[in-house]
Structure formats: C-alpha cells, structure tokens
Amino acid sequence: TDMLLRQMKTCDKLKRYRRGSGLTQHELAEKAGVSQSAVAMIEAGRRPDPHPRTLAKLAEALGITAMDLLDDPGDPSTDSTPA
C-alpha cells in the first residue's frame, strides 16, 4: 500500500485516509476546523492546490503529516522516462 499511496494525488489520499479513519467529510471538517465543502472540493479534485494551512489541519485531524497528503512527483528511481 505504501507504493500505491506514493503514486496517488492529494484528492485520492485525503479520501483514503478519511475513509480509513471512519470519518464522513462532515466529521473530518468539524474535527479539522475547516468547511465540509473544502473537504469535498479537495477530494473531488476541484481544488488541486489546497492552502497549506488547510492541509495541515486536515492532516492533524487524521493523525498524519501534511506531507502524507501531498501529490507525489514520483520516485526517480522507478521513472522510466529517459534522461
């Protein structure tokens, strides 16, 4: 699962961590002190670059770091693009 999570986008990671915590969007929003619409928009990919403070609040509410939620650029050691 670590490899899978490393290749996911923020929207997918947030949804996976939230569901893994057994929280609804509304519950996560309340716990993090952000709006439910912000959570929904991030998860839907309609807010591709969420504010760092928002990500930090969501991460803290989920017991993870904000880095855990960021898009991954990909592991250069497994990148098949020629140099």
Side-chain angles (χ1 to χ4, degrees), residues 21-36:
S21 296
L23 297 171
T24 65
Q25 288 181 347
H26 180 75
E27 290 166 337
L28 174 58
E30 280 196 342
K31 191 173 178 180
V34 301
S35 69
Q36 187 269 327

Side-chain angles (χ1 to χ4, degrees), residues 5-82:
L5 283 173
R6 281 199 297 269
Q7 296 175 353
M8 295 175 76
K9 294 192 170 291
T10 297
C11 56
D12 300 318
K13 288 181 176 184
L14 178 59
K15 191 179 297 184
R16 180 175 283 248
Y17 280 118
R18 177 183 58 77
R19 287 180 175 167
S21 296
L23 297 171
T24 65
Q25 288 181 347
H26 180 75
E27 290 166 337
L28 174 58
E30 280 196 342
K31 191 173 178 180
V34 301
S35 69
Q36 187 269 327
S37 63
V39 175
M41 287 181 72
I42 294 168
E43 286 190 1
R46 294 196 342 247
R47 192 174 286 171
D49 294 311
H51 194 281
R53 193 175 309 132
T54 302
L55 275 185
K57 288 178 176 182
L58 291 168
E60 185 177 340
L62 291 166
I64 58 176
T65 69
M67 291 298 291
D68 292 326
L69 291 175
L70 294 178
D71 284 357
D72 294 305
D75 184 348
S77 67
T78 61
D79 190 74
S80 59
T81 309

